[in-house]
Amino acid sequence: MSEPAAEPTSGPFLPNGKGAATSPPSGAPPAEGSVPRVELTPRAAGLLRDLSERHGPLMFHQSGGCCDGSAPMCYPDGEFRTGSSDVLLAELRVEGVAKPIPFWMSASQFATWSHTRLIVDVVAGRGSGFSLEAPEGVRFLIRSRLLDD
């Protein structure tokens, strides 16, 4: 049985017209009418604070493969190489973390998820792969809600 989703805490974005997205400059309020594309639960934000203290700047990538490939993977920023087949959905701001955390998704996966708001949460249990939270006995998980028109 899955745990209930906690209320999200961050993640507004503004489309940049090139298929990617960025959040407003640090401290700026979200633009009127902007829709949060990616958000964090308080638990996810707390884990990201801990991971950034140990590993420095972070990034997320979600590829859309089978098994754990469809889970968001957290890496040291720049360790996972992104390219033209990836979409930058958000730069997540976490209180206590100096640098925004980019959230990338493969373009093919984004085509499937484009109608949803992604909520990054943390649940007990180890995923496989190289995501930084794996040794902690938890894993990042995406919850979703339909975007309102």
Side-chain angles (χ1 to χ4, degrees), residues 117-142:
R117 178 172 39 156
L118 306 176
I119 302 162
V120 181
D121 201 359
V122 176
V123 295
R126 278 191 66 173
S128 63
F130 300 104
S131 195
L132 291 174
E133 81 283 1
E136 307 298 318
V138 296
R139 62 188 178 95
F140 288 108
L141 173 84
I142 291 293

Side-chain angles (χ1 to χ4, degrees), residues 44-107:
L47 180 57
L48 288 168
R49 271 190 292 279
D50 293 345
L51 291 173
S52 70
E53 286 175 11
R54 282 181 273 165
H55 300 283
L58 304 172
M59 69 178 289
F60 274 108
H61 188 272
Q62 185 166 340
S63 69
C66 73
C67 311
D68 278 343
S70 56
M73 299 289 175
C74 183
Y75 302 104
D77 193 22
E79 189 166 304
F80 186 91
R81 196 169 246 181
T82 57
S84 61
S85 62
D86 298 299
V87 178
L88 177 61
L89 297 183
E91 290 185 338
L92 302 168
R93 299 196 188 306
V94 178
E95 188 176 330
V97 175
K99 185 177 177 197
I101 300 169
F103 189 102
W104 293 88
M105 182 179 277
S106 69

Side-chain angles (χ1 to χ4, degrees), residues 23-57:
S23 55
S26 182
E32 188 174 332
S34 69
V35 177
R37 174 66 72 184
V38 182
E39 300 180 53
L40 299 169
T41 64
R43 237 164 94 171
L47 180 57
L48 288 168
R49 271 190 292 279
D50 293 345
L51 291 173
S52 70
E53 286 175 11
R54 282 181 273 165
H55 300 283

